[in-house]
Amino acid sequence: MKHFVFILALLLICACDDLKVKKTSTEAILNEELQSFTWNEVDEYPTFSSCETSATQQYRKQCFEQTLATTILKRLEAERIIVNRDVLDTLLIQFKISDTGDLSLLNFKVDSLTQAEIPNIKFLVTSSLDSLPTIEPAIKRGQKVNSEFILPIIIKVN
């Protein structure tokens, strides 16, 4: 009987070591998540309500960019632009969409010849942004986040 109790006690002591729970700090979990986190990608791109019916994420992105470009181009086409030389240029417009859906212009790259021919081009592009529909911000892991992107727009004036 003494041997039985001794073996039982020995088994219980050994089993207790296997039952130890390893404690992981929240900082360790956070660091592990941050290393696996891709900061340059969002789960859902910013979108307009008219684009939310699109089937896939890629189509919604294309719809958003197309709607934005169309709005800017309509404003430029509505203006009577008179030039001395033909203009064929690609504008590079860098935007930021806040986590509340506010759109702001960060950078505007235009060729110097285009700038000389159409001096108010930046104003025309900026003023076209006022007529945009409501923007839904980008989403990353269920949270609305700020996002930035560059939209190329081709300008052709004869």
Side-chain angles (χ1 to χ4, degrees):
M1 182 77 175
K2 284 184 176 183
H3 293 301
F4 178 72
V5 173
F6 178 73
I7 293 174
L8 184 63
L10 186 62
L11 284 174
L12 285 176
I13 292 172
C14 292
C16 288
D17 286 340
D18 291 337
L19 294 176
K20 286 185 182 175
V21 178
K22 294 181 181 178
K23 292 186 179 181
T24 306
S25 69
T26 55
E27 291 84 18
I29 294 171
L30 178 63
N31 287 334
E32 184 178 319
E33 283 292 314
L34 288 176
Q35 290 188 4
S36 67
F37 199 71
T38 307
W39 289 101
N40 294 330
E41 297 176 8
V42 292
D43 298 335
E44 293 182 32
Y45 292 103
T47 188
F48 296 110
S49 58
S50 61
C51 298
E52 289 180 351
T53 58
S54 299
T56 65
Q57 184 71 326
Q58 187 62 29
Y59 288 125
R60 281 188 286 236
K61 179 183 178 191
Q62 288 175 348
C63 177
F64 176 77
E65 291 173 350
Q66 187 65 38
T67 303
L68 188 56
T70 302
T71 302
I72 293 170
L73 288 173
K74 280 183 182 178
R75 172 72 168 113
L76 293 175
E77 290 172 355
E79 286 295 314
R80 184 167 187 154
I81 300 173
I82 300 172
V83 294
N84 296 326
R85 289 190 245 164
D86 290 349
V87 174
L88 179 58
D89 190 17
T90 301
L91 305 175
L92 294 176
I93 308 170
Q94 185 178 6
F95 293 103
K96 177 182 179 182
I97 299 175
S98 72
D99 58 352
T100 58
D102 296 325
L103 181 94
S104 58
L105 185 71
L106 293 179
N107 197 0
F108 186 85
K109 291 184 182 180
V110 62
D111 187 67
S112 60
L113 295 175
T114 305
Q115 184 69 44
E117 290 293 323
I118 312 170
N120 63 340
I121 193 163
K122 186 173 181 179
F123 170 75
L124 294 174
V125 170
T126 305
S127 64
S128 70
L129 302 178
D130 295 336
S131 61
L132 286 172
T134 304
I135 299 172
E136 290 296 320
I139 296 178
K140 180 72 173 179
R141 300 189 102 176
Q143 297 293 316
K144 295 179 180 181
V145 294
N146 296 335
S147 60
E148 292 181 16
F149 63 96
I150 296 175
L151 181 69
I153 297 185
I154 299 172
I155 301 292
K156 183 178 181 181
V157 182
N158 298 331

mmCIF file with all atom_site columns, all heavy atoms in Angstrom, residues 45-49 52 64 68 96-104 129 132-138 144 147 149:
data_model
loop_
_atom_site.group_PDB
_atom_site.id
_atom_site.type_symbol
_atom_site.label_atom_id
_atom_site.label_alt_id
_atom_site.label_comp_id
_atom_site.label_asym_id
_atom_site.label_entity_id
_atom_site.label_seq_id
_atom_site.pdbx_PDB_ins_code
_atom_site.Cartn_x
_atom_site.Cartn_y
_atom_site.Cartn_z
_atom_site.occupancy
_atom_site.B_iso_or_equiv
_atom_site.pdbx_formal_charge
_atom_site.auth_seq_id
_atom_site.auth_comp_id
_atom_site.auth_asym_id
_atom_site.auth_atom_id
_atom_site.pdbx_PDB_model_num
ATOM 1   N N   . TYR A 1 45  ? -11.258 48.760 -49.821 1.00 0.00 ? 45  TYR A N   1
ATOM 2   C CA  . TYR A 1 45  ? -10.853 50.068 -50.320 1.00 0.00 ? 45  TYR A CA  1
ATOM 3   C C   . TYR A 1 45  ? -11.944 51.092 -50.046 1.00 0.00 ? 45  TYR A C   1
ATOM 4   O O   . TYR A 1 45  ? -13.111 50.724 -49.847 1.00 0.00 ? 45  TYR A O   1
ATOM 5   C CB  . TYR A 1 45  ? -10.592 49.999 -51.822 1.00 0.00 ? 45  TYR A CB  1
ATOM 6   C CG  . TYR A 1 45  ? -9.380  49.184 -52.180 1.00 0.00 ? 45  TYR A CG  1
ATOM 7   C CD1 . TYR A 1 45  ? -9.500  47.897 -52.685 1.00 0.00 ? 45  TYR A CD1 1
ATOM 8   C CD2 . TYR A 1 45  ? -8.106  49.694 -52.008 1.00 0.00 ? 45  TYR A CD2 1
ATOM 9   C CE1 . TYR A 1 45  ? -8.393  47.138 -52.996 1.00 0.00 ? 45  TYR A CE1 1
ATOM 10  C CE2 . TYR A 1 45  ? -6.984  48.942 -52.318 1.00 0.00 ? 45  TYR A CE2 1
ATOM 11  C CZ  . TYR A 1 45  ? -7.137  47.674 -52.814 1.00 0.00 ? 45  TYR A CZ  1
ATOM 12  O OH  . TYR A 1 45  ? -6.039  46.935 -53.115 1.00 0.00 ? 45  TYR A OH  1
ATOM 13  N N   . PRO A 1 46  ? -11.572 52.370 -50.075 1.00 0.00 ? 46  PRO A N   1
ATOM 14  C CA  . PRO A 1 46  ? -12.616 53.399 -49.967 1.00 0.00 ? 46  PRO A CA  1
ATOM 15  C C   . PRO A 1 46  ? -13.593 53.222 -51.126 1.00 0.00 ? 46  PRO A C   1
ATOM 16  O O   . PRO A 1 46  ? -13.218 52.739 -52.193 1.00 0.00 ? 46  PRO A O   1
ATOM 17  C CB  . PRO A 1 46  ? -11.852 54.710 -50.096 1.00 0.00 ? 46  PRO A CB  1
ATOM 18  C CG  . PRO A 1 46  ? -10.424 54.391 -50.011 1.00 0.00 ? 46  PRO A CG  1
ATOM 19  C CD  . PRO A 1 46  ? -10.256 52.944 -50.262 1.00 0.00 ? 46  PRO A CD  1
ATOM 20  N N   . THR A 1 47  ? -14.823 53.633 -50.920 1.00 0.00 ? 47  THR A N   1
ATOM 21  C CA  . THR A 1 47  ? -15.819 53.432 -51.968 1.00 0.00 ? 47  THR A CA  1
ATOM 22  C C   . THR A 1 47  ? -16.919 54.476 -51.891 1.00 0.00 ? 47  THR A C   1
ATOM 23  O O   . THR A 1 47  ? -17.105 55.129 -50.868 1.00 0.00 ? 47  THR A O   1
ATOM 24  C CB  . THR A 1 47  ? -16.416 52.006 -51.877 1.00 0.00 ? 47  THR A CB  1
ATOM 25  O OG1 . THR A 1 47  ? -17.243 51.788 -53.007 1.00 0.00 ? 47  THR A OG1 1
ATOM 26  C CG2 . THR A 1 47  ? -17.200 51.808 -50.609 1.00 0.00 ? 47  THR A CG2 1
ATOM 27  N N   . PHE A 1 48  ? -17.615 54.623 -52.991 1.00 0.00 ? 48  PHE A N   1
ATOM 28  C CA  . PHE A 1 48  ? -18.831 55.424 -53.049 1.00 0.00 ? 48  PHE A CA  1
ATOM 29  C C   . PHE A 1 48  ? -20.006 54.463 -52.891 1.00 0.00 ? 48  PHE A C   1
ATOM 30  O O   . PHE A 1 48  ? -19.881 53.272 -53.178 1.00 0.00 ? 48  PHE A O   1
ATOM 31  C CB  . PHE A 1 48  ? -18.940 56.160 -54.390 1.00 0.00 ? 48  PHE A CB  1
ATOM 32  C CG  . PHE A 1 48  ? -17.856 57.169 -54.616 1.00 0.00 ? 48  PHE A CG  1
ATOM 33  C CD1 . PHE A 1 48  ? -16.872 56.958 -55.567 1.00 0.00 ? 48  PHE A CD1 1
ATOM 34  C CD2 . PHE A 1 48  ? -17.818 58.350 -53.889 1.00 0.00 ? 48  PHE A CD2 1
ATOM 35  C CE1 . PHE A 1 48  ? -15.877 57.878 -55.788 1.00 0.00 ? 48  PHE A CE1 1
ATOM 36  C CE2 . PHE A 1 48  ? -16.810 59.287 -54.095 1.00 0.00 ? 48  PHE A CE2 1
ATOM 37  C CZ  . PHE A 1 48  ? -15.841 59.052 -55.044 1.00 0.00 ? 48  PHE A CZ  1
ATOM 38  N N   . SER A 1 49  ? -21.152 54.973 -52.484 1.00 0.00 ? 49  SER A N   1
ATOM 39  C CA  . SER A 1 49  ? -22.309 54.094 -52.286 1.00 0.00 ? 49  SER A CA  1
ATOM 40  C C   . SER A 1 49  ? -22.715 53.423 -53.593 1.00 0.00 ? 49  SER A C   1
ATOM 41  O O   . SER A 1 49  ? -23.192 52.288 -53.587 1.00 0.00 ? 49  SER A O   1
ATOM 42  C CB  . SER A 1 49  ? -23.476 54.876 -51.692 1.00 0.00 ? 49  SER A CB  1
ATOM 43  O OG  . SER A 1 49  ? -23.827 55.951 -52.545 1.00 0.00 ? 49  SER A OG  1
ATOM 44  N N   . GLU A 1 52  ? -20.752 50.058 -54.053 1.00 0.00 ? 52  GLU A N   1
ATOM 45  C CA  . GLU A 1 52  ? -20.834 48.993 -53.054 1.00 0.00 ? 52  GLU A CA  1
ATOM 46  C C   . GLU A 1 52  ? -21.543 47.752 -53.570 1.00 0.00 ? 52  GLU A C   1
ATOM 47  O O   . GLU A 1 52  ? -21.419 46.685 -52.998 1.00 0.00 ? 52  GLU A O   1
ATOM 48  C CB  . GLU A 1 52  ? -21.523 49.507 -51.787 1.00 0.00 ? 52  GLU A CB  1
ATOM 49  C CG  . GLU A 1 52  ? -20.661 50.475 -51.022 1.00 0.00 ? 52  GLU A CG  1
ATOM 50  C CD  . GLU A 1 52  ? -21.316 50.993 -49.760 1.00 0.00 ? 52  GLU A CD  1
ATOM 51  O OE1 . GLU A 1 52  ? -22.516 50.731 -49.547 1.00 0.00 ? 52  GLU A OE1 1
ATOM 52  O OE2 . GLU A 1 52  ? -20.618 51.665 -48.996 1.00 0.00 ? 52  GLU A OE2 1
ATOM 53  N N   . PHE A 1 64  ? -14.573 52.948 -57.815 1.00 0.00 ? 64  PHE A N   1
ATOM 54  C CA  . PHE A 1 64  ? -14.223 54.142 -57.051 1.00 0.00 ? 64  PHE A CA  1
ATOM 55  C C   . PHE A 1 64  ? -13.298 55.057 -57.853 1.00 0.00 ? 64  PHE A C   1
ATOM 56  O O   . PHE A 1 64  ? -13.544 56.253 -57.985 1.00 0.00 ? 64  PHE A O   1
ATOM 57  C CB  . PHE A 1 64  ? -13.555 53.755 -55.727 1.00 0.00 ? 64  PHE A CB  1
ATOM 58  C CG  . PHE A 1 64  ? -13.080 54.923 -54.921 1.00 0.00 ? 64  PHE A CG  1
ATOM 59  C CD1 . PHE A 1 64  ? -13.977 55.681 -54.195 1.00 0.00 ? 64  PHE A CD1 1
ATOM 60  C CD2 . PHE A 1 64  ? -11.744 55.277 -54.908 1.00 0.00 ? 64  PHE A CD2 1
ATOM 61  C CE1 . PHE A 1 64  ? -13.548 56.769 -53.455 1.00 0.00 ? 64  PHE A CE1 1
ATOM 62  C CE2 . PHE A 1 64  ? -11.305 56.361 -54.179 1.00 0.00 ? 64  PHE A CE2 1
ATOM 63  C CZ  . PHE A 1 64  ? -12.209 57.107 -53.454 1.00 0.00 ? 64  PHE A CZ  1
ATOM 64  N N   . LEU A 1 68  ? -14.245 58.787 -59.458 1.00 0.00 ? 68  LEU A N   1
ATOM 65  C CA  . LEU A 1 68  ? -13.439 59.951 -59.103 1.00 0.00 ? 68  LEU A CA  1
ATOM 66  C C   . LEU A 1 68  ? -12.862 60.610 -60.358 1.00 0.00 ? 68  LEU A C   1
ATOM 67  O O   . LEU A 1 68  ? -12.955 61.826 -60.529 1.00 0.00 ? 68  LEU A O   1
ATOM 68  C CB  . LEU A 1 68  ? -12.328 59.530 -58.145 1.00 0.00 ? 68  LEU A CB  1
ATOM 69  C CG  . LEU A 1 68  ? -11.496 60.619 -57.505 1.00 0.00 ? 68  LEU A CG  1
ATOM 70  C CD1 . LEU A 1 68  ? -12.359 61.618 -56.759 1.00 0.00 ? 68  LEU A CD1 1
ATOM 71  C CD2 . LEU A 1 68  ? -10.484 60.005 -56.551 1.00 0.00 ? 68  LEU A CD2 1
ATOM 72  N N   . LYS A 1 96  ? -5.823  61.737 -49.983 1.00 0.00 ? 96  LYS A N   1
ATOM 73  C CA  . LYS A 1 96  ? -5.932  61.074 -48.687 1.00 0.00 ? 96  LYS A CA  1
ATOM 74  C C   . LYS A 1 96  ? -7.405  61.051 -48.328 1.00 0.00 ? 96  LYS A C   1
ATOM 75  O O   . LYS A 1 96  ? -8.097  62.063 -48.440 1.00 0.00 ? 96  LYS A O   1
ATOM 76  C CB  . LYS A 1 96  ? -5.154  61.824 -47.606 1.00 0.00 ? 96  LYS A CB  1
ATOM 77  C CG  . LYS A 1 96  ? -5.319  61.202 -46.227 1.00 0.00 ? 96  LYS A CG  1
ATOM 78  C CD  . LYS A 1 96  ? -4.599  61.978 -45.156 1.00 0.00 ? 96  LYS A CD  1
ATOM 79  C CE  . LYS A 1 96  ? -4.802  61.346 -43.803 1.00 0.00 ? 96  LYS A CE  1
ATOM 80  N NZ  . LYS A 1 96  ? -4.160  62.116 -42.751 1.00 0.00 ? 96  LYS A NZ  1
ATOM 81  N N   . ILE A 1 97  ? -7.860  59.886 -47.916 1.00 0.00 ? 97  ILE A N   1
ATOM 82  C CA  . ILE A 1 97  ? -9.224  59.755 -47.428 1.00 0.00 ? 97  ILE A CA  1
ATOM 83  C C   . ILE A 1 97  ? -9.133  59.409 -45.955 1.00 0.00 ? 97  ILE A C   1
ATOM 84  O O   . ILE A 1 97  ? -8.533  58.412 -45.576 1.00 0.00 ? 97  ILE A O   1
ATOM 85  C CB  . ILE A 1 97  ? -9.995  58.669 -48.196 1.00 0.00 ? 97  ILE A CB  1
ATOM 86  C CG1 . ILE A 1 97  ? -10.055 59.056 -49.673 1.00 0.00 ? 97  ILE A CG1 1
ATOM 87  C CG2 . ILE A 1 97  ? -11.393 58.497 -47.621 1.00 0.00 ? 97  ILE A CG2 1
ATOM 88  C CD1 . ILE A 1 97  ? -10.684 58.027 -50.553 1.00 0.00 ? 97  ILE A CD1 1
ATOM 89  N N   . SER A 1 98  ? -9.713  60.273 -45.135 1.00 0.00 ? 98  SER A N   1
ATOM 90  C CA  . SER A 1 98  ? -9.629  60.078 -43.686 1.00 0.00 ? 98  SER A CA  1
ATOM 91  C C   . SER A 1 98  ? -10.553 58.952 -43.252 1.00 0.00 ? 98  SER A C   1
ATOM 92  O O   . SER A 1 98  ? -11.388 58.470 -44.023 1.00 0.00 ? 98  SER A O   1
ATOM 93  C CB  . SER A 1 98  ? -9.996  61.370 -42.955 1.00 0.00 ? 98  SER A CB  1
ATOM 94  O OG  . SER A 1 98  ? -11.389 61.595 -43.069 1.00 0.00 ? 98  SER A OG  1
ATOM 95  N N   . ASP A 1 99  ? -10.427 58.564 -42.005 1.00 0.00 ? 99  ASP A N   1
ATOM 96  C CA  . ASP A 1 99  ? -11.277 57.505 -41.466 1.00 0.00 ? 99  ASP A CA  1
ATOM 97  C C   . ASP A 1 99  ? -12.729 57.945 -41.312 1.00 0.00 ? 99  ASP A C   1
ATOM 98  O O   . ASP A 1 99  ? -13.597 57.139 -41.024 1.00 0.00 ? 99  ASP A O   1
ATOM 99  C CB  . ASP A 1 99  ? -10.723 56.974 -40.144 1.00 0.00 ? 99  ASP A CB  1
ATOM 100 C CG  . ASP A 1 99  ? -10.576 58.058 -39.092 1.00 0.00 ? 99  ASP A CG  1
ATOM 101 O OD1 . ASP A 1 99  ? -10.755 59.255 -39.408 1.00 0.00 ? 99  ASP A OD1 1
ATOM 102 O OD2 . ASP A 1 99  ? -10.262 57.717 -37.944 1.00 0.00 ? 99  ASP A OD2 1
ATOM 103 N N   . THR A 1 100 ? -12.996 59.238 -41.533 1.00 0.00 ? 100 THR A N   1
ATOM 104 C CA  . THR A 1 100 ? -14.372 59.734 -41.511 1.00 0.00 ? 100 THR A CA  1
ATOM 105 C C   . THR A 1 100 ? -14.917 59.925 -42.924 1.00 0.00 ? 100 THR A C   1
ATOM 106 O O   . THR A 1 100 ? -16.052 60.347 -43.092 1.00 0.00 ? 100 THR A O   1
ATOM 107 C CB  . THR A 1 100 ? -14.458 61.073 -40.746 1.00 0.00 ? 100 THR A CB  1
ATOM 108 O OG1 . THR A 1 100 ? -13.591 62.025 -41.369 1.00 0.00 ? 100 THR A OG1 1
ATOM 109 C CG2 . THR A 1 100 ? -14.094 60.888 -39.291 1.00 0.00 ? 100 THR A CG2 1
ATOM 110 N N   . GLY A 1 101 ? -14.095 59.660 -43.949 1.00 0.00 ? 101 GLY A N   1
ATOM 111 C CA  . GLY A 1 101 ? -14.545 59.771 -45.339 1.00 0.00 ? 101 GLY A CA  1
ATOM 112 C C   . GLY A 1 101 ? -14.263 61.113 -45.980 1.00 0.00 ? 101 GLY A C   1
ATOM 113 O O   . GLY A 1 101 ? -14.775 61.394 -47.061 1.00 0.00 ? 101 GLY A O   1
ATOM 114 N N   . ASP A 1 102 ? -13.453 61.947 -45.336 1.00 0.00 ? 102 ASP A N   1
ATOM 115 C CA  . ASP A 1 102 ? -13.112 63.250 -45.916 1.00 0.00 ? 102 ASP A CA  1
ATOM 116 C C   . ASP A 1 102 ? -11.961 63.088 -46.901 1.00 0.00 ? 102 ASP A C   1
ATOM 117 O O   . ASP A 1 102 ? -10.942 62.481 -46.578 1.00 0.00 ? 102 ASP A O   1
ATOM 118 C CB  . ASP A 1 102 ? -12.710 64.240 -44.819 1.00 0.00 ? 102 ASP A CB  1
ATOM 119 C CG  . ASP A 1 102 ? -13.856 64.528 -43.869 1.00 0.00 ? 102 ASP A CG  1
ATOM 120 O OD1 . ASP A 1 102 ? -15.009 64.561 -44.326 1.00 0.00 ? 102 ASP A OD1 1
ATOM 121 O OD2 . ASP A 1 102 ? -13.590 64.718 -42.665 1.00 0.00 ? 102 ASP A OD2 1
ATOM 122 N N   . LEU A 1 103 ? -12.114 63.647 -48.097 1.00 0.00 ? 103 LEU A N   1
ATOM 123 C CA  . LEU A 1 103 ? -11.104 63.559 -49.135 1.00 0.00 ? 103 LEU A CA  1
ATOM 124 C C   . LEU A 1 103 ? -10.289 64.841 -49.146 1.00 0.00 ? 103 LEU A C   1
ATOM 125 O O   . LEU A 1 103 ? -10.851 65.933 -49.114 1.00 0.00 ? 103 LEU A O   1
ATOM 126 C CB  . LEU A 1 103 ? -11.766 63.358 -50.500 1.00 0.00 ? 103 LEU A CB  1
ATOM 127 C CG  . LEU A 1 103 ? -10.807 63.227 -51.662 1.00 0.00 ? 103 LEU A CG  1
ATOM 128 C CD1 . LEU A 1 103 ? -10.531 61.752 -51.908 1.00 0.00 ? 103 LEU A CD1 1
ATOM 129 C CD2 . LEU A 1 103 ? -11.389 63.847 -52.904 1.00 0.00 ? 103 LEU A CD2 1
ATOM 130 N N   . SER A 1 104 ? -8.979  64.693 -49.168 1.00 0.00 ? 104 SER A N   1
ATOM 131 C CA  . SER A 1 104 ? -8.114  65.870 -49.264 1.00 0.00 ? 104 SER A CA  1
ATOM 132 C C   . SER A 1 104 ? -7.021  65.609 -50.289 1.00 0.00 ? 104 SER A C   1
ATOM 133 O O   . SER A 1 104 ? -6.584  64.482 -50.488 1.00 0.00 ? 104 SER A O   1
ATOM 134 C CB  . SER A 1 104 ? -7.513  66.224 -47.899 1.00 0.00 ? 104 SER A CB  1
ATOM 135 O OG  . SER A 1 104 ? -6.791  65.139 -47.389 1.00 0.00 ? 104 SER A OG  1
ATOM 136 N N   . LEU A 1 129 ? -13.750 68.312 -56.796 1.00 0.00 ? 129 LEU A N   1
ATOM 137 C CA  . LEU A 1 129 ? -13.888 67.394 -55.666 1.00 0.00 ? 129 LEU A CA  1
ATOM 138 C C   . LEU A 1 129 ? -15.079 67.745 -54.775 1.00 0.00 ? 129 LEU A C   1
ATOM 139 O O   . LEU A 1 129 ? -15.550 66.917 -54.002 1.00 0.00 ? 129 LEU A O   1
ATOM 140 C CB  . LEU A 1 129 ? -12.601 67.367 -54.843 1.00 0.00 ? 129 LEU A CB  1
ATOM 141 C CG  . LEU A 1 129 ? -11.339 66.955 -55.604 1.00 0.00 ? 129 LEU A CG  1
ATOM 142 C CD1 . LEU A 1 129 ? -10.123 67.026 -54.694 1.00 0.00 ? 129 LEU A CD1 1
ATOM 143 C CD2 . LEU A 1 129 ? -11.482 65.583 -56.220 1.00 0.00 ? 129 LEU A CD2 1
ATOM 144 N N   . LEU A 1 132 ? -18.320 65.536 -55.349 1.00 0.00 ? 132 LEU A N   1
ATOM 145 C CA  . LEU A 1 132 ? -18.246 64.084 -55.166 1.00 0.00 ? 132 LEU A CA  1
ATOM 146 C C   . LEU A 1 132 ? -19.332 63.587 -54.212 1.00 0.00 ? 132 LEU A C   1
ATOM 147 O O   . LEU A 1 132 ? -19.681 64.276 -53.246 1.00 0.00 ? 132 LEU A O   1
ATOM 148 C CB  . LEU A 1 132 ? -16.887 63.682 -54.584 1.00 0.00 ? 132 LEU A CB  1
ATOM 149 C CG  . LEU A 1 132 ? -15.703 63.737 -55.528 1.00 0.00 ? 132 LEU A CG  1
ATOM 150 C CD1 . LEU A 1 132 ? -14.415 63.493 -54.761 1.00 0.00 ? 132 LEU A CD1 1
ATOM 151 C CD2 . LEU A 1 132 ? -15.849 62.719 -56.628 1.00 0.00 ? 132 LEU A CD2 1
ATOM 152 N N   . PRO A 1 133 ? -19.848 62.382 -54.472 1.00 0.00 ? 133 PRO A N   1
ATOM 153 C CA  . PRO A 1 133 ? -20.781 61.803 -53.499 1.00 0.00 ? 133 PRO A CA  1
ATOM 154 C C   . PRO A 1 133 ? -20.045 61.423 -52.213 1.00 0.00 ? 133 PRO A C   1
ATOM 155 O O   . PRO A 1 133 ? -18.816 61.467 -52.152 1.00 0.00 ? 133 PRO A O   1
ATOM 156 C CB  . PRO A 1 133 ? -21.323 60.562 -54.215 1.00 0.00 ? 133 PRO A CB  1
ATOM 157 C CG  . PRO A 1 133 ? -20.444 60.330 -55.381 1.00 0.00 ? 133 PRO A CG  1
ATOM 158 C CD  . PRO A 1 133 ? -19.673 61.574 -55.654 1.00 0.00 ? 133 PRO A CD  1
ATOM 159 N N   . THR A 1 134 ? -20.785 61.018 -51.218 1.00 0.00 ? 134 THR A N   1
ATOM 160 C CA  . THR A 1 134 ? -20.212 60.632 -49.931 1.00 0.00 ? 134 THR A CA  1
ATOM 161 C C   . THR A 1 134 ? -19.283 59.435 -50.102 1.00 0.00 ? 134 THR A C   1
ATOM 162 O O   . THR A 1 134 ? -19.611 58.479 -50.800 1.00 0.00 ? 134 THR A O   1
ATOM 163 C CB  . THR A 1 134 ? -21.332 60.266 -48.938 1.00 0.00 ? 134 THR A CB  1
ATOM 164 O OG1 . THR A 1 134 ? -22.225 61.378 -48.843 1.00 0.00 ? 134 THR A OG1 1
ATOM 165 C CG2 . THR A 1 134 ? -20.768 59.955 -47.566 1.00 0.00 ? 134 THR A CG2 1
ATOM 166 N N   . ILE A 1 135 ? -18.127 59.517 -49.443 1.00 0.00 ? 135 ILE A N   1
ATOM 167 C CA  . ILE A 1 135 ? -17.124 58.456 -49.539 1.00 0.00 ? 135 ILE A CA  1
ATOM 168 C C   . ILE A 1 135 ? -17.138 57.627 -48.262 1.00 0.00 ? 135 ILE A C   1
ATOM 169 O O   . ILE A 1 135 ? -17.128 58.166 -47.157 1.00 0.00 ? 135 ILE A O   1
ATOM 170 C CB  . ILE A 1 135 ? -15.716 59.059 -49.738 1.00 0.00 ? 135 ILE A CB  1
ATOM 171 C CG1 . ILE A 1 135 ? -15.668 59.863 -51.021 1.00 0.00 ? 135 ILE A CG1 1
ATOM 172 C CG2 . ILE A 1 135 ? -14.658 57.973 -49.741 1.00 0.00 ? 135 ILE A CG2 1
ATOM 173 C CD1 . ILE A 1 135 ? -14.382 60.649 -51.213 1.00 0.00 ? 135 ILE A CD1 1
ATOM 174 N N   . GLU A 1 136 ? -17.163 56.313 -48.443 1.00 0.00 ? 136 GLU A N   1
ATOM 175 C CA  . GLU A 1 136 ? -16.993 55.392 -47.322 1.00 0.00 ? 136 GLU A CA  1
ATOM 176 C C   . GLU A 1 136 ? -15.501 55.112 -47.196 1.00 0.00 ? 136 GLU A C   1
ATOM 177 O O   . GLU A 1 136 ? -14.864 54.731 -48.177 1.00 0.00 ? 136 GLU A O   1
ATOM 178 C CB  . GLU A 1 136 ? -17.743 54.093 -47.568 1.00 0.00 ? 136 GLU A CB  1
ATOM 179 C CG  . GLU A 1 136 ? -19.247 54.237 -47.517 1.00 0.00 ? 136 GLU A CG  1
ATOM 180 C CD  . GLU A 1 136 ? -19.746 54.654 -46.151 1.00 0.00 ? 136 GLU A CD  1
ATOM 181 O OE1 . GLU A 1 136 ? -19.217 54.157 -45.134 1.00 0.00 ? 136 GLU A OE1 1
ATOM 182 O OE2 . GLU A 1 136 ? -20.653 55.489 -46.095 1.00 0.00 ? 136 GLU A OE2 1
ATOM 183 N N   . PRO A 1 137 ? -14.901 55.300 -46.018 1.00 0.00 ? 137 PRO A N   1
ATOM 184 C CA  . PRO A 1 137 ? -13.448 55.118 -45.877 1.00 0.00 ? 137 PRO A CA  1
ATOM 185 C C   . PRO A 1 137 ? -13.019 53.661 -46.005 1.00 0.00 ? 137 PRO A C   1
ATOM 186 O O   . PRO A 1 137 ? -13.844 52.747 -45.970 1.00 0.00 ? 137 PRO A O   1
ATOM 187 C CB  . PRO A 1 137 ? -13.166 55.650 -44.472 1.00 0.00 ? 137 PRO A CB  1
ATOM 188 C CG  . PRO A 1 137 ? -14.457 55.559 -43.754 1.00 0.00 ? 137 PRO A CG  1
ATOM 189 C CD  . PRO A 1 137 ? -15.548 55.691 -44.775 1.00 0.00 ? 137 PRO A CD  1
ATOM 190 N N   . ALA A 1 138 ? -11.720 53.477 -46.152 1.00 0.00 ? 138 ALA A N   1
ATOM 191 C CA  . ALA A 1 138 ? -11.140 52.138 -46.228 1.00 0.00 ? 138 ALA A CA  1
ATOM 192 C C   . ALA A 1 138 ? -11.317 51.439 -44.876 1.00 0.00 ? 138 ALA A C   1
ATOM 193 O O   . ALA A 1 138 ? -11.425 52.089 -43.832 1.00 0.00 ? 138 ALA A O   1
ATOM 194 C CB  . ALA A 1 138 ? -9.668  52.223 -46.586 1.00 0.00 ? 138 ALA A CB  1
ATOM 195 N N   . LYS A 1 144 ? -12.407 51.538 -39.566 1.00 0.00 ? 144 LYS A N   1
ATOM 196 C CA  . LYS A 1 144 ? -12.230 52.544 -40.607 1.00 0.00 ? 144 LYS A CA  1
ATOM 197 C C   . LYS A 1 144 ? -10.861 53.185 -40.415 1.00 0.00 ? 144 LYS A C   1
ATOM 198 O O   . LYS A 1 144 ? -10.498 53.547 -39.296 1.00 0.00 ? 144 LYS A O   1
ATOM 199 C CB  . LYS A 1 144 ? -13.334 53.595 -40.526 1.00 0.00 ? 144 LYS A CB  1
ATOM 200 C CG  . LYS A 1 144 ? -14.696 53.019 -40.832 1.00 0.00 ? 144 LYS A CG  1
ATOM 201 C CD  . LYS A 1 144 ? -15.764 54.064 -40.714 1.00 0.00 ? 144 LYS A CD  1
ATOM 202 C CE  . LYS A 1 144 ? -17.128 53.436 -41.044 1.00 0.00 ? 144 LYS A CE  1
ATOM 203 N NZ  . LYS A 1 144 ? -18.194 54.419 -40.971 1.00 0.00 ? 144 LYS A NZ  1
ATOM 204 N N   . SER A 1 147 ? -6.478  56.362 -45.630 1.00 0.00 ? 147 SER A N   1
ATOM 205 C CA  . SER A 1 147 ? -5.814  55.737 -46.769 1.00 0.00 ? 147 SER A CA  1
ATOM 206 C C   . SER A 1 147 ? -5.347  56.810 -47.736 1.00 0.00 ? 147 SER A C   1
ATOM 207 O O   . SER A 1 147 ? -5.915  57.897 -47.792 1.00 0.00 ? 147 SER A O   1
ATOM 208 C CB  . SER A 1 147 ? -6.750  54.748 -47.477 1.00 0.00 ? 147 SER A CB  1
ATOM 209 O OG  . SER A 1 147 ? -7.898  55.412 -47.953 1.00 0.00 ? 147 SER A OG  1
ATOM 210 N N   . PHE A 1 149 ? -3.781  57.329 -51.860 1.00 0.00 ? 149 PHE A N   1
ATOM 211 C CA  . PHE A 1 149 ? -3.578  56.708 -53.155 1.00 0.00 ? 149 PHE A CA  1
ATOM 212 C C   . PHE A 1 149 ? -3.281  57.787 -54.189 1.00 0.00 ? 149 PHE A C   1
ATOM 213 O O   . PHE A 1 149 ? -3.538  58.975 -53.969 1.00 0.00 ? 149 PHE A O   1
ATOM 214 C CB  . PHE A 1 149 ? -4.786  55.865 -53.570 1.00 0.00 ? 149 PHE A CB  1
ATOM 215 C CG  . PHE A 1 149 ? -6.044  56.665 -53.743 1.00 0.00 ? 149 PHE A CG  1
ATOM 216 C CD1 . PHE A 1 149 ? -6.434  57.119 -54.992 1.00 0.00 ? 149 PHE A CD1 1
ATOM 217 C CD2 . PHE A 1 149 ? -6.843  56.965 -52.661 1.00 0.00 ? 149 PHE A CD2 1
ATOM 218 C CE1 . PHE A 1 149 ? -7.584  57.854 -55.152 1.00 0.00 ? 149 PHE A CE1 1
ATOM 219 C CE2 . PHE A 1 149 ? -7.985  57.710 -52.804 1.00 0.00 ? 149 PHE A CE2 1
ATOM 220 C CZ  . PHE A 1 149 ? -8.373  58.152 -54.065 1.00 0.00 ? 149 PHE A CZ  1
#
